[in-house]
Amino acid sequence: MSGTTAVLSLLGVSALAVAAVYWAAWAARLSSDPVVAAAFGSGMEPVEHAVSRFHVRWYTVTMLFLAFDMEMVFMYPWTRVISAMGPSAVIEMFVFLAVLLAGVAHAWREGALRWT
């Protein structure tokens, strides 16, 4: 089997799999049972559309979360090399943490963490 034939076969199988999933969703929508056709959401009826817009303050919270997530990404390897690098590694990490703390202080001062 040549490479082109293998790729086209894989593409055909993938297309059939996608078509089967779409057909199953279509068949579930046509079902007379409303429980089968309803979207699953912890057993509760949805109160808003799934692609509704979020308030802009959630984006600020997301950015703060990502900043502290990146902090953890950098702190794990730092703990492994701190003994080999010496005091300069400690100073660099505290400068990094100070920059993050300045960002949180700025967000707090601007009212990004206020929920009312």
Side-chain angles (χ1 to χ4, degrees), residues 9-63:
S9 299
L10 182 61
L11 184 64
V13 169
S14 300
L16 285 175
V18 169
V21 168
Y22 273 109
W23 179 82
W26 177 74
R29 252 186 286 135
L30 293 179
S31 172
S32 61
D33 187 10
V35 175
V36 173
F40 179 73
S42 302
M44 297 170 33
E45 290 293 322
V47 293
E48 62 185 32
H49 197 273
V51 291
S52 62
R53 295 180 183 238
F54 293 103
H55 195 278
V56 72
R57 73 172 159 236
W58 289 107
Y59 296 108
T60 308
V61 171
T62 302
M63 290 299 123

Side-chain angles (χ1 to χ4, degrees), residues 1-9:
M1 181 183 281
S2 70
T4 305
T5 307
V7 168
L8 289 176
S9 299

Side-chain angles (χ1 to χ4, degrees), residues 86-99:
S88 67
V90 176
I91 293 169
E92 287 176 7
M93 184 52 70
F94 279 112
V95 168
F96 179 67
L97 292 175
V99 169

Side-chain angles (χ1 to χ4, degrees), residues 103-116:
V104 170
H106 174 72
W108 194 338
R109 187 181 68 223
E110 294 294 321
L113 303 176
R114 230 177 301 137
W115 293 106
T116 57

